Every structure is written in C-alpha cells, then in structure tokens.
Amino acid sequence: MDTAHRSFPILVALFVLLFGVTSSQPYEEFLQCLEFHDSNITSIVYTRANSSFSSLLESSIRNPRFDTSATPKPLLIFTPRQISHIQSAIRCSRAHRIQIRVRSGGHDYEGLSYSTISPSLTFLVLDLRNLRAIQVDVPSKTAWAQAGATLGELYYAIAAESRTLAFPAGMWPTVGLGGHISGGGYGSLLRKHGIAADNVVDAQVVDVEGRILDRASMGEDLFWAIRGGGNTFGIVIAWKIKLVPVPASVTACTVTRTLEQNATEIVHRWQYVVDKLSNDVFFMVVLNRVVNPIQANATTIQASFNSLYLGSIEGLILMMEAKFPDLGLRRENCVEMSWAKSILYFAGFPLNSPLESLLDRTISATGSAKFKGKSDYVKEPIPISGFEGIWEKLKEVGVQTGGLILASYGGKMSEIPESSIPFPHRAGNIYQVEEVAFWVEDGVEAADGYLNWLRGLYEYMTPYVSKNPREAYANYRDLDIGRNGGGGEGDYRRARSWGSSYYKNNFDRLVRVKTAVDPANFFRNEQSIPPLSSWR
C-alpha cells in the first residue's frame, strides 16, 4: 500500500473530527468508499456540518422558490475536480443507496438538480462547477466544452478566438451546459441552425458502471438519447460541439407596443409572418402587464418584440417593411454588435457592458423573485378574441408578475425530422409559448396564489395550443404535467403522462435506451426516463 493510500483513513478521521460527522451517519462510510489518494478531500466534499455547505448550495440556486428551510437538502455536495472523482461517486453512491442529483448551472425549473420533492430521500448533489474547461478549434469549427461550464463562459471563449463563429444555444449566460444541451436548449440561432443538441458531434459520458464513454464506445443509441433526452442515462462530462458561422456584426432590436398602440392587432399579425421570415431572423415577444406610460396611476398590457437578425440594420428594416410593416420598425429600435454581445443585450445588460460580463456566474435572470414556468406550442394562429382573453388573465396579477414569452419557430426547425434527436418539436409549430409567474412575497399562501393564477392561464390556453399530446418543452420542467415517485421511482405508464408531452413519439425509444444502459434506474429523478423493468 502506498503512503497516500495509507493516509486516507487519517484524512477521513480528520474530516469527521472537524465537521462533526459521527460513525452513525452515512458520511464516513461514503467518504471511506471514495478512496481518494489526495489531501484535498475537504475541498471537494461538503457535508451539512461544513460552514461552506449552505453558501455552496445556494450559490447555484437560480430559483429562490427552492431556497427555503422546507426544501429537502442533500446529504452532501460533491464538487469533483477530475473524472475519476465522478467514477468513485457513482460507485459509492450505488453501494450505499445514495441518489445522485447532477447540477451544472442550477437553472432547473423545479429544482430537481439540487433537491427533491421527497423529504425522506437520501441524496447528494454532484456539482460540476470545477469541470468547465473549454477548448475552441477554429480551423475545424468545433469546440470541446465540459458540462460545468456556463453558456456565457462558452460564448466568451468562442469570441476570444473568432468574431464570426457562434454556438446555437440559450440567451442567459449563467445557464450550465450540462443541463441545457441534454434538455434540448435553444436560443436566438434556432431558426438558422437548430437547437444546441442538433450541433453536438461527440460527448464524454460516465455511465452507471463508471466507464468513460465517447460516441464510438457508447454507440449511436445512447449518443442519440443524451442529445435532448435529459440527464437520465449517465453523467455527461463534456460535449464536442459544432460551431456555426455568423456575421461579424448582427442586429438586435426591441420594439414595444401597448394596447393603446395597437398591440393586440400587431401580435395577432405577427403569428402569420414570423415562421415564414428569412432563417436569419429570430423573434421573441414578451407579453405582460406594465404601468401605463401615457396614463398616470393606470396599467396596460405591453408587447415587447425582440429580434435578432444575422445582418445589418438596413437589411432588417427593408425586410420588415416588406413582410411585417405593422411593427413599424425604425433604425432607433436597433443596434449592431457582435453575436456574443447580443447575448448580453437580450439578457438585459447595458449596451456598454464589457464582454467579460459573460463570465459572471452569479447573476440570476429573475433576481430575488421566485418563479414557476409552463410551456406550450402553437400550430394555428390564436384569434384576436383569444389574445383579449389573455389580457384579462394578465390583469388578474400585478405589474410584471406574470406573462407569456413567444419564441418564433420555422426555418431550420421545420427541416429537421422529429426523430433526429429526442427533442421532437419541429415542423408545424409557429412558435413556442412560455407561461410564467414571478413573485417576491414569502410564504405558502402567496406562492399558491401565483401558482393557481399560472395554472388558470395554462388552462385558458388549452384551445389554442397543441393537442394529443399537449406538447411541452423539457427544459421548462413542469411537474404539474406528471411525475415519477417521490424518489424518482419509474413507472412506464405513469411516465408517459409527461414523457409524451416532452418527447412525443421519441419517448418509447428513450425508454428502450434507458433499459439497455441503466436497467436498475440508478440515474433518476421525479421526471426521468424509466426503464421497462419498472413496469408495474
């Protein structure tokens, strides 16, 4: 036995002494099982007795709704610095029946990457924040990016090498690559280049047996499943991604219209043109209740049209004058910038913000506000009367505490087959809808009020959105549409209630892959793909 290995029991004893862990608790057995041969165990394993435990856990909770004393906490937080640490964590978690929740950025809409709905569940959080290396290869137009990197860190790394390359992922910098790609994440380039998972060419995965697999060794079925099918098949350590061309300068625009400025008719008309515009245009519309800018002590409904054009301001204005004159787009509504800078623009940063702002891992899209989101897909334009009903629903909540976000489809999204990867929402969709509620008040009563409002809005949308199934976007995780058991126990028939909404006809293939690679259902949560062996 080498010196490092002999010293391990001493390190465990020191850890127990320092952090108050007794032999009657599962910590010590788990730590002994890990068998690390280094002296830095206390810098990668944090128990509840550790003074840094709470701050580390809270540091990546992007939804304060799940940052309360009532939220179930993990047994420990594990922050691996190398792949062998993850292999040990899997082996020891299996041996001691500890469930693993994997966190990269912490933006999980239901908090399942760092918590659970079952208070009795023993679980650890595998936080990938230390695994965020990025290597950009401009000649091959590819990059390797570890799953703990944020989108902002990836965009910054790409921009440092090239102004004319990008990656078609999301528009919020602190989102982690691991969950974003595995859940089918999208961004402002989806009409030109598809979603992030459409542009993955290889990956590195640690499977349930602790093996390190790449595309060749994992096989095409598993490679298909991890690109949009969720993190239920293993732990993705890194993605090899295809970088896509963008102009050196792109155009970002924002136009706002209130009901008094004909917003109803403009939004209604938007539906008829947005999926037929050039693939170089992406449109996102935010609908919410705001203070009326022209009438004191009054509110109104506002539609904010946010667009990205892969070209010049003049080119976009000419296109809008021909295709969508109702918007009344003007030069003063637009700014030319690099594509990387457009990420900061749409995230609400000031125009003079340095590109280094992309590296800030602490910012939250909603600040201190709690939130809940739901999603839908629209295949036929909503009539004006439908929007008028939406306005009435928005008037039921306070200013900027509830709204809808409409994201344009068409273009490349209509060209990729539904079965290409697990993400199935392709041809036939005009736009995606996110229904969302925000609140800052504490307490169950306040939360229930906003949640009930949101569920009422979702119910109202039923006649106007996709049917059989009512489709939903997996990265806007919504436990209302169905869940597995409290500890993630799978049931094929039960899982179809939410699985068909997220994955449509791809759900059954995901189940078959899961059955092949993780038949005992070790990697699981309240909305994870179950194996067929779970049928009961």
Side-chain angles (χ1 to χ4, degrees):
M1 180 183 292
D2 59 43
T3 302
H5 189 77
R6 287 197 306 270
S7 67
F8 182 76
I10 299 174
L11 290 172
V12 172
L14 178 62
F15 190 91
V16 173
L17 177 64
L18 289 175
F19 301 115
V21 181
T22 68
S23 60
S24 63
Q25 295 174 305
Y27 305 119
E28 184 178 356
E29 291 180 355
F30 182 82
L31 292 171
Q32 289 175 330
C33 177
L34 289 174
E35 296 182 351
F36 288 155
H37 294 183
D38 63 60
S39 60
N40 295 317
I41 188 170
T42 58
S43 69
I44 49 182
V45 180
Y46 300 80
T47 74
R48 296 173 186 172
N50 190 306
S51 60
S52 299
F53 176 86
S54 294
S55 59
L56 179 61
L57 180 63
E58 294 165 6
S59 66
S60 292
I61 294 180
R62 306 302 180 191
N63 189 349
R65 178 178 159 216
F66 303 109
D67 188 12
T68 71
S69 59
T71 304
K73 303 298 189 292
L75 179 73
L76 54 88
I77 304 171
F78 191 65
T79 57
R81 296 185 182 277
Q82 55 197 47
I83 296 177
S84 62
H85 293 167
I86 295 176
Q87 294 172 297
S88 293
I90 292 173
R91 176 174 54 82
C92 294
S93 294
R94 292 181 65 188
H96 294 282
R97 299 179 181 271
I98 299 172
Q99 196 176 114
I100 292 180
R101 298 289 164 114
V102 183
R103 180 168 77 174
S104 51
H107 284 265
D108 189 307
Y109 270 41
E110 296 284 13
L112 300 184
S113 65
Y114 50 83
S115 188
T116 175
I117 64 172
S118 176
S120 61
L121 183 69
T122 301
F123 70 101
L124 66 84
V125 169
L126 188 68
D127 193 311
L128 299 177
R129 65 180 58 220
N130 293 326
L131 298 176
R132 59 180 199 259
I134 299 169
Q135 295 179 319
V136 177
D137 186 346
V138 172
S140 68
K141 297 181 181 179
T142 61
W144 271 103
Q146 289 187 310
T150 64
L151 297 183
E153 289 169 339
L154 173 62
Y155 299 153
Y156 184 84
I158 296 171
E161 301 294 332
S162 172
R163 188 182 172 103
T164 57
L165 289 175
F167 183 61
M171 300 160 69
W172 191 255
T174 58
V175 170
L177 275 176
H180 184 73
I181 296 179
S182 67
Y186 72 94
S188 60
L189 295 176
L190 88 163
R191 300 190 70 252
K192 183 72 172 182
H193 297 290
I195 67 172
D198 292 324
N199 294 276
V200 171
V201 295
D202 204 343
Q204 193 175 49
V205 179
V206 180
D207 73 357
V208 71
E209 302 297 334
R211 297 172 298 190
I212 303 172
L213 308 175
D214 61 8
R215 181 174 182 172
S217 57
M218 77 177 73
E220 287 303 300
D221 280 345
L222 180 54
F223 184 64
W224 174 86
I226 62 174
R227 291 176 293 155
N231 59 352
T232 187
F233 307 96
I235 299 176
V236 178
I237 304 305
W239 304 96
K240 185 179 182 181
I241 56 177
K242 178 177 64 176
L243 305 182
V244 300
V246 292
S249 290
V250 302
T251 297
C253 302
T254 299
V255 177
T256 59
R257 295 287 184 264
T258 65
L259 295 186
E260 295 75 17
Q261 297 169 317
N262 211 28
T264 305
E265 288 74 14
I266 297 173
V267 174
H268 180 252
R269 176 60 184 160
W270 174 85
Q271 301 174 107
Y272 288 88
V273 300
V274 69
D275 62 325
K276 302 175 183 65
L277 292 172
S278 162
N279 294 10
D280 291 330
V281 180
F282 170 77
F283 253 116
M284 183 171 65
V285 183
V286 180
L287 308 173
N288 63 351
R289 185 183 182 191
V290 300
V291 174
N292 195 322
I294 60 175
Q295 185 178 351
N297 302 316
T299 64
T300 187
I301 304 302
Q302 176 179 276
S304 178
F305 297 84
N306 305 279
S307 60
L308 178 79
Y309 175 58
L310 301 178
S312 67
I313 293 176
E314 289 76 12
L316 180 59
I317 290 176
L318 287 173
M319 184 187 303
M320 291 298 101
E321 288 176 345
K323 303 291 187 180
F324 190 25
D326 314 63
L327 183 61
L329 182 66
R330 298 181 180 181
R331 169 173 272 277
E332 54 263 35
N333 303 131
C334 304
V335 185
E336 288 187 7
M337 61 189 71
S338 68
W339 182 82
K341 277 273 192 174
S342 77
I343 297 298
L344 295 175
Y345 175 91
F346 288 115
F349 284 73
L351 286 176
N352 61 352
S353 298
L355 204 58
E356 285 74 17
S357 300
L358 291 169
L359 301 177
D360 188 343
R361 293 176 66 96
T362 66
I363 52 176
S364 172
T366 62
S368 60
K370 309 165 185 69
F371 71 91
K372 162 78 175 178
K374 303 177 81 66
S375 59
D376 273 309
Y377 287 86
V378 173
K379 300 178 183 295
E380 298 289 338
I382 297 174
I384 285 181
S385 61
F387 282 109
E388 290 172 340
I390 292 174
W391 308 155
E392 292 304 311
K393 297 298 293 183
L394 292 176
K395 291 175 183 177
E396 295 175 5
V397 290
V399 170
Q400 295 183 333
T401 58
L404 300 91
I405 303 172
L406 321 179
S408 60
Y409 265 53
K412 183 72 171 180
M413 295 298 286
S414 296
E415 301 170 8
I416 301 173
E418 288 189 1
S419 60
S420 175
I421 61 173
F423 181 95
H425 313 293
R426 305 292 187 172
N429 292 305
I430 304 174
Y431 56 95
Q432 179 202 77
V433 180
E434 179 183 9
E435 302 98 345
V436 63
F438 305 95
W439 65 97
V440 296
E441 301 94 327
D442 293 326
V444 174
E445 184 176 350
D448 285 347
Y450 287 99
L451 294 175
N452 289 336
W453 172 82
L454 181 63
R455 289 162 182 153
L457 173 62
Y458 185 75
E459 179 64 26
Y460 173 83
M461 294 293 292
T462 303
Y464 307 115
V465 297
S466 58
K467 302 170 180 63
N468 302 317
R470 183 171 182 173
E471 298 174 35
Y473 170 47
N475 261 357
Y476 295 160
R477 196 196 298 275
D478 179 12
L479 292 179
D480 289 350
I481 67 174
R483 63 183 69 177
N484 299 334
E489 297 83 2
D491 181 320
Y492 173 83
R493 288 170 293 187
R494 187 174 183 177
R496 282 196 64 88
S497 66
W498 54 265
S500 59
S501 293
Y502 290 152
Y503 305 113
K504 299 178 66 175
N505 292 330
N506 293 332
F507 176 74
D508 281 343
R509 182 178 176 186
L510 286 170
V511 170
R512 291 194 295 271
V513 175
K514 175 70 171 181
T515 305
V517 302
D518 184 18
N521 201 23
F522 174 69
F523 295 114
R524 65 183 186 272
N525 59 50
E526 288 82 348
Q527 271 191 353
S528 59
I529 301 295
L532 278 173
S533 55
S534 67
W535 184 291
R536 52 179 183 268

